[in-house]
Amino acid sequence: MTDLSVASTAKRTTFDVDAIRRDFPILSQQVNGKPLVYLDNGASAQKPEAVLKAMDRYYREMHSNVHRGAHTLGDRATAAFEGARETVRSFLNAESTREIIWTRGTTEAINLVANGLAPRLKAGDEILVSYMEHHANIVPWQMIAERTGAKVVPVQVTPDGELDMESFTSLLNEKTRVLAITHVSNVLGTVNPVAALIEQAKAHGIITLVDGAQAVPHYQPDVRALGCDFYVFSSHKLFGPTGIGILYGKAQLLEEMPPYQGGGEMIELVSFERTTWNTLPYKFEAGTPAIAEAVGLGAAIDYLNGLDRSAMEAAEAALLERANQLVETVPGMEIIGTAKQKVPVMSFKIAGLHPSDIGTLLDQQGIAIRTGHHCAMPLMDFYGVPGTARASFAFYNTLDEVDTLFTALQKVQRLFA
């Protein structure tokens, strides 16, 4: 019998996880003859029935291109599409739907902002990021820096995976033009004090962008309370469909930025002599948008709004607490990232084992995790590892699944020992 007898202080909350799990059809299946234990939520979360039904209904009952359609289906599609935009606006507490731009995801949203801010940058200007950024919040800025002569400057992290505030403060100067920072680290689970960072940046007149891709599955951000200029996230991590994401931007900055792509919808008037741009938000939405996906994202947010968010956060905290308690049951296991404030993400290594071997052997036991550098090579270099194994939990995971993970890790460790 596997020993999981570590004393647990993690209480099972009144959050009805069994009822929640029934809302997610994919979770009921078996993989490799074992019940699926899906712990790769940081890469992409699963979808509730409400999202699947909303997208199915869109295609069955109202599919048409949006805007300008002189018929009933066009009106229905437009109402659903723009209704989803309003749902996102409310979720973020943005001032207006003019500030909500549909994108293909977090990556495209950051590229859009980086290119839009390029005319403001010149040689010698500095763009502040951090060592814990996803490549999507590093590479676009490097590309813009190469074009403009600006420089990307990284803020250090501490060994326990927190942002080094002394490093951050010391790097703010008269050359700093942009702060692009993650709200939550996809590798470490660290929750950054973004409100305090934004406040300091604003005191220096710095434009701020927050990568919220890993935050929104766990918290509901308030962009007006944060005070950020831009906030970006992807639908598929928020229990919605793939292929769509959100750029929130303050209207004044969006008005000043040039369009990112040209084509239909983003124009007001076109002639061979001169073309003028559409109003916000359409100025940044060239071509036919991802209509069904927008409807699906709206349904995902509506689903989350129907949950007790405080109970959900407590349930997730209990998952992480239980996982932390069980680390000592796996010889040679070391956690990468032990910040005081974390979402339920656990990156780890086991002495003598390659992360990919851990992932493969867990998959044979029906457990899905992610392995590799997690699109965060600078952070891997900081910790001196080629990659890690990562278990990322969501509110539909259970304490029993945490136990199952560690029972399997014990088997893996014994096999290689």
Side-chain angles (χ1 to χ4, degrees):
M1 182 71 175
T2 302
D3 181 16
L4 291 175
S5 59
V6 174
S8 176
T9 58
K11 297 179 180 179
R12 295 180 185 271
T13 69
T14 56
F15 192 67
D16 190 349
V17 69
D18 292 329
I20 293 294
R21 288 176 66 83
R22 289 193 291 272
D23 292 338
F24 292 80
I26 200 170
L27 298 179
S28 62
Q29 68 177 290
Q30 292 201 340
V31 171
N32 294 321
K34 304 286 186 180
L36 171 63
V37 177
Y38 186 78
L39 304 178
D40 194 21
N41 297 286
S44 196
Q46 299 299 346
K47 321 305 172 194
E49 188 76 38
V51 170
L52 306 180
K53 287 182 175 179
M55 296 180 71
D56 182 70
R57 179 171 177 264
Y58 164 78
Y59 278 121
R60 290 180 184 275
E61 299 180 12
M62 64 187 78
H63 172 65
S64 173
N65 215 327
V66 292
H67 309 134
R68 303 186 309 279
H71 55 82
T72 298
L73 290 184
D75 291 344
R76 289 178 185 171
T78 299
F81 180 70
E82 293 300 339
R85 195 192 305 268
E86 167 57 26
T87 298
V88 174
R89 183 213 63 76
S90 177
F91 176 72
L92 293 175
N93 192 32
E95 185 173 341
S96 167
T97 53
R98 298 173 65 244
E99 300 178 320
I100 304 300
I101 312 297
W102 301 113
T103 67
R104 288 185 299 138
T106 301
T107 299
E108 184 175 63
I110 295 173
N111 274 274
L112 189 161
V113 174
N115 279 272
L117 295 181
R120 295 170 174 261
L121 300 175
K122 63 183 185 303
D125 286 346
E126 294 181 354
I127 302 162
L128 214 55
V129 296
S130 81
Y131 265 88
M132 67 175 74
E133 301 305 317
H134 189 283
H135 294 163
N137 203 24
I138 298 174
V139 178
W141 300 110
Q142 290 176 324
M143 296 169 70
I144 294 304
E146 187 174 343
R147 275 170 43 191
T148 62
K151 181 181 179 182
V152 176
V153 180
V155 179
Q156 296 291 325
V157 297
T158 64
D160 60 2
E162 295 184 345
L163 197 71
D164 187 327
M165 294 303 294
E166 289 186 8
S167 171
F168 172 74
T169 301
S170 69
L171 291 172
L172 293 176
N173 62 69
E174 68 281 356
K175 296 180 181 179
T176 311
R177 295 290 176 265
V178 177
L179 169 66
I181 195 76
T182 187
H183 198 160
V184 170
S185 167
N186 72 307
V187 176
L188 308 171
T190 303
V191 181
N192 281 323
V194 289
L197 301 176
I198 292 165
E199 184 178 9
Q200 289 190 55
K202 288 300 180 185
H204 290 76
I206 298 166
I207 293 173
T208 56
L209 176 143
V210 178
D211 174 359
Q214 296 293 330
V216 292
H218 307 288
Y219 307 114
Q220 183 171 347
D222 183 331
V223 293
R224 282 193 273 185
L226 289 176
C228 57
D229 294 307
F230 301 100
Y231 196 98
V232 300
F233 69 89
S234 297
S235 163
H236 70 99
K237 297 184 193 297
L238 189 62
F239 313 97
T242 57
I244 193 167
I246 293 298
L247 163 62
Y248 156 79
K250 288 185 176 177
Q252 181 178 345
L253 283 170
L254 292 173
E255 292 280 14
E256 295 170 357
M257 287 163 51
Y260 180 54
Q261 293 179 316
E265 186 67 25
M266 52 75 65
I267 53 84
E268 178 188 37
L269 295 171
V270 176
S271 71
F272 285 110
E273 290 72 37
R274 181 171 178 263
T275 295
T276 57
W277 315 133
N278 204 342
T279 57
L280 294 176
Y282 312 110
K283 168 185 171 183
F284 294 102
E285 295 179 356
T288 298
I291 308 167
E293 288 76 9
V295 171
L297 174 55
I301 293 174
D302 286 340
Y303 175 82
L304 290 172
N305 287 341
L307 301 179
D308 182 335
R309 295 300 291 253
S310 61
M312 185 182 86
E313 291 177 19
E316 290 185 339
L319 296 172
L320 183 61
E321 182 182 358
R322 180 60 174 162
N324 284 329
Q325 291 167 350
L326 293 176
V327 170
E328 65 184 58
T329 69
V330 182
M333 184 173 181
E334 179 185 348
I335 303 303
I336 306 296
T338 56
K340 293 181 179 66
Q341 283 194 290
K342 286 185 61 170
V343 299
V345 170
M346 177 173 280
S347 285
F348 61 92
K349 60 181 182 177
I350 299 176
L353 302 185
H354 194 280
S356 63
D357 291 330
I358 297 172
T360 298
L361 292 169
L362 289 180
D363 180 58
Q364 292 174 5
Q365 300 177 68
I367 302 169
I369 67 164
R370 188 145 297 255
T371 65
H373 56 66
H374 312 296
C375 293
M377 289 183 180
L379 188 61
M380 296 297 111
D381 291 341
F382 173 81
Y383 282 107
V385 295
T388 70
R390 184 189 71 187
S392 49
F393 304 92
F395 59 82
Y396 47 58
N397 291 122
T398 68
L399 293 173
D400 288 341
E401 287 183 320
V402 178
D403 290 352
T404 299
L405 168 65
F406 278 86
T407 298
L409 287 173
Q410 290 174 356
K411 292 179 181 178
V412 170
Q413 194 277 333
R414 285 198 301 270
L415 176 64
F416 280 86

